[in-house]
Amino acid sequence: MPLHLVTPIDRAQDARGDSDSLELPAKGWRSHAADLCYIVLRGSTFLASSYLMALGLPLLFFLLISGGDAGVFFAHLANISDRFLGAEQGRQIGFLDEFKFVLIGVATLVVVWRLPRFVNDLERELSGEKL
């Protein structure tokens, strides 16, 4: 005795196959909400990865000036930390303000550099195109 189970999904597919209309159904609010959630998730991962790239650029800079040598790299970091801790509080605050300004500027440049590709990928994925 074979078991044949018909689900509501099977009935919907049969009804879709029986219709002669080739029109796509109108997008409902759930489809728009799903697209919005997808955009928010992809945008947040884009911004997080861009900010992590911006945070990694000072590390890359110090690795480049040290020639890839770990001893020289940590000597540079020790020099900066000793000078920072030895400075008076006003100069420390000024350095941190400048560092924040530079970091935000670098993060902005990274986002602007990556944004066109992100928008193109997002548009392609939401339109349903295949690679």
Side-chain angles (χ1 to χ4, degrees):
M1 176 174 156
L3 178 63
H4 182 69
L5 180 65
V6 178
T7 64
I9 295 172
D10 294 331
R11 289 184 186 153
Q13 288 175 349
D14 291 341
R16 190 180 326 137
D18 294 341
S19 67
D20 293 333
S21 173
L22 296 177
E23 296 177 16
L24 294 173
K27 287 183 109 177
W29 68 270
R30 285 186 179 190
S31 177
H32 292 299
D35 288 346
L36 180 65
C37 289
Y38 183 74
I39 290 169
V40 167
L41 286 172
R42 282 293 308 263
S44 63
T45 58
F46 169 75
L47 287 177
S49 63
S50 296
Y51 191 66
L52 286 174
M53 285 179 192
L55 286 174
L57 286 176
L59 175 69
L60 180 65
F61 172 73
F62 284 114
L63 280 173
L64 285 175
I65 64 173
S66 68
D69 184 20
V72 177
F73 170 72
F74 286 112
H76 282 297
L77 289 181
N79 183 23
I80 288 175
S81 65
D82 288 342
R83 290 180 181 267
F84 179 77
L85 294 175
E88 59 208 30
Q89 188 174 8
R91 291 182 64 116
Q92 287 179 353
I93 292 172
F95 175 77
L96 291 176
D97 288 342
E98 289 177 9
F99 187 74
K100 284 189 271 187
F101 179 74
V102 168
L103 187 61
I104 289 171
V106 168
T108 303
L109 289 175
V110 168
V111 167
V112 168
W113 177 56
R114 296 182 64 210
L115 192 61
R117 182 174 177 188
F118 170 74
V119 171
N120 288 337
D121 289 346
L122 192 63
E123 182 180 358
R124 185 184 78 263
E125 290 167 359
L126 289 176
S127 70
E129 289 181 24
K130 302 252 180 181
L131 289 177

